[in-house]
Amino acid sequence: MKKTVAVLPGDGIGTEVMEGTIKVLNAVADRFGHTFEFQKGVIGGAAIDETGEPLPKETLDVCKESDAVLLGAVGGPKWDDLPRNLRPEKGLLKIRKELELFANLRPVKAYDSLLDASPLKEERIKGVDMLIVRELTGGLYFGTPSERREDGDRVVDTLSYTREEIERIVDQGFQAARKRNRKLTSVDKANVLESSRMWREIVNEKAANYPDVDVEHMLVDAAAMKIVQNPANFDVIVTENLFGDILSDEASMITGSLGMLPSASLRKDGFGMYEPVHGSAPDIAGKNLANPLAMILSSSMMLNHSFNMKEESEAIDKAVKEVLEAGYFTSDLVKKGKRGLSTDKMINQVILQLAEDNATAGIMEAYA
Ligand code: NAD
């Protein structure tokens, strides 16, 4: 199969983890007989430096002409003092809006081999396998007026949602729950916010269409507490943009590091952009220290969701799991008395594991 992938490395560690992920995808292409054509585009700070804007039209065109998009991360102190409309993060918000990527899927999985890398107690996080479904193109991050209004000492941000925007993300949440353990936790702040009251009404209406899914409502403050207290109780969480952003960073600590969390951002027709949950990590950028697994796992989500390459996606997930089980880790996954691998070495381990699994599969076939 031949697929075109738009590749937007962005800034900081985004470029480092993207480079390795392309190598992993090329290894998958070799093993399964596919061709991935990578079309590069600039976004974020790199795009500002090159073109003066965080999301140039050429980049958007490359994305629209591709079968899927891979994105690294944007931002960094170099661009922090620019006006809000010109900052790297604006490029990220704009690409999500322009490509109508309203559904952000963020799986959070506790790997047995990394239980000791989490700051949480092992017995609490063992077996955690949850999915956060975050609304991505509405709410506070996109409120009108899109410019933050400053009136003397007053600032105003607007939280706005339409019924349709809520309905489509709630449907995504129910559908995801149906494919998993049929439990949906809808997170809101209905005791205070009108937008949350409408959210809750819509979840209750939609529940009638999914009688096989158990639904519960949870206030966001309680959810923040329960994710730490009893994370294994969650299956699918569906929530609005800001709450999802915060809760998923919190949940990343179950895996031990932000560097472990992949994500998929999907349009209604299934077109998707795939990116790690983490940012550009300026504190470690350029030092070959970044954990590449979130980006690599995001590429696996791309193979699964956008290209329907289930076996290929599973091959990447399996290689990552086996590399971790073999005791390899990067330095963000703190393990007592041990030093982590560099970004490059971690990527090489994943590629070696893919090759080894392939060889083993060949031997098994020969004996079948
Ligand atoms: P961050 O996610 O970049 O980093 C938070 C902490 O986690 C840092 O200590 C960092 O070193 C560590 N970390 C993150 N990813 C890691 C990885 N793969 N391997 C090892 N350690 C990792 O968040 P931040 O520091 O708040 O933001 C830095 C910049 O990134 C800001 O400009 C911010 O706006 C931007 N940002 C971008 C995105 C995105 O592109 N999707 C998301 C969040 C933040």
Side-chain angles (χ1 to χ4, degrees):
M1 207 182 280
K2 188 173 167 207
K3 293 286 177 191
T4 308
V5 181
V7 169
L8 319 182
D11 308 312
I13 64 166
T15 57
E16 299 167 50
V17 295
M18 184 66 86
E19 209 182 298
T21 298
I22 289 177
K23 288 185 192 159
V24 171
L25 284 172
N26 280 331
V28 170
D30 281 351
R31 174 168 160 187
F32 290 92
H34 301 304
T35 307
F36 298 131
E37 211 175 274
F38 300 106
Q39 303 283 355
K40 272 206 167 178
V42 283
I43 189 168
I48 294 170
D49 288 350
E50 207 176 298
T51 69
E53 44 183 330
L55 180 66
K57 183 178 174 302
E58 296 72 43
T59 297
L60 203 51
D61 287 346
V62 165
C63 295
K64 287 179 179 165
E65 285 154 16
S66 299
D67 297 308
V69 182
L70 281 180
L71 186 138
V74 301
K78 182 177 173 193
W79 306 280
D80 275 355
D81 294 331
L82 289 173
R84 187 172 170 229
N85 229 8
L86 280 179
R87 285 181 50 135
E89 293 78 3
K90 191 74 188 177
L92 194 59
L93 295 181
K94 194 168 168 200
I95 197 169
R96 290 170 177 169
K97 195 78 174 176
E98 290 280 340
L99 298 176
E100 298 172 67
L101 306 170
F102 71 96
N104 187 218
L105 312 186
R106 300 183 156 194
V108 181
K109 211 172 147 176
Y111 290 89
D112 281 349
S113 46
L114 288 183
L115 294 180
D116 57 341
S118 170
L120 301 178
K121 287 189 181 133
E122 292 192 24
E123 63 268 26
R124 298 219 168 184
I125 57 173
K126 193 168 171 51
V128 169
D129 183 357
M130 70 168 94
L131 176 72
I132 299 179
V133 179
R134 168 190 170 195
E135 202 291 325
L136 203 59
T137 52
L140 267 176
Y141 296 0
F142 292 92
T144 47
S146 55
E147 266 305 285
R148 192 161 62 154
R149 220 164 46 209
E150 299 203 19
D151 177 13
D153 286 339
R154 220 167 104 82
V155 288
V156 180
D157 287 309
T158 315
L159 201 176
S160 152
Y161 269 114
T162 64
R163 168 168 275 275
E164 196 231 327
E165 282 172 330
I166 301 176
E167 281 179 349
R168 64 186 183 179
I169 192 71
V170 167
D171 270 325
Q172 285 279 338
F174 273 109
Q175 281 158 21
R178 231 178 210 176
K179 289 191 199 134
R180 296 171 45 102
N181 293 324
R182 295 172 185 265
K183 185 174 171 198
L184 183 70
T185 305
S186 169
V187 172
D188 62 36
K189 188 68 185 166
N191 54 343
V192 177
L193 299 176
E194 196 51 41
S195 56
S196 282
R197 278 194 275 274
M198 180 150 123
W199 179 283
R200 204 173 267 218
E201 272 166 38
I202 291 171
V203 171
N204 286 336
E205 285 164 25
K206 288 276 174 194
N209 302 334
Y210 303 90
D212 50 331
V213 176
D214 283 338
V215 192
E216 65 175 346
H217 297 283
M218 200 176 279
L219 296 175
V220 64
D221 33 356
M225 185 262 288
K226 288 192 176 167
I227 283 175
V228 173
Q229 185 191 43
N230 200 355
N233 249 354
F234 291 98
D235 179 21
V236 177
I237 291 176
V238 65
T239 191
E240 62 95 56
N241 202 342
L242 174 70
F243 298 160
D245 194 2
I246 298 170
L247 291 181
S248 49
D249 266 32
E250 184 197 7
S252 77
M253 283 300 105
I254 294 165
T255 67
S257 167
L258 255 180
M260 290 301 301
L261 246 62
S263 87
S265 304
L266 305 176
R267 193 163 69 192
K268 212 160 193 165
D269 62 2
F271 180 83
M273 181 168 89
Y274 301 84
E275 55 175 317
V277 168
H278 64 72
S280 59
D283 52 339
I284 56 165
K287 296 182 180 161
N288 202 14
L289 284 177
N291 181 347
L293 295 182
M295 184 79 242
I296 291 173
L297 291 169
S298 301
S299 77
S300 157
M301 291 183 85
M302 172 184 81
L303 298 183
N304 184 9
H305 288 278
S306 282
F307 303 162
N308 202 22
M309 295 181 180
K310 308 277 179 215
E311 202 185 333
E312 293 81 342
S313 164
E314 276 165 21
I316 293 182
D317 295 351
K318 182 165 176 277
V320 166
K321 186 166 173 274
E322 285 168 346
V323 163
L324 293 170
E325 277 168 5
Y328 298 107
F329 64 98
T330 40
S331 47
D332 51 318
L333 297 161
V334 186
K335 294 203 174 195
K336 281 183 209 111
K338 290 190 187 166
R339 270 187 53 195
L341 291 187
S342 66
T343 310
D344 290 349
K345 287 198 171 136
M346 193 62 171
I347 289 159
N348 284 343
Q349 284 305 328
V350 174
I351 292 170
L352 281 173
Q353 191 63 51
L354 273 167
E356 197 168 299
D357 287 348
N358 192 25
T360 316
I363 292 166
M364 309 255 272
E365 246 165 54
Y367 280 92

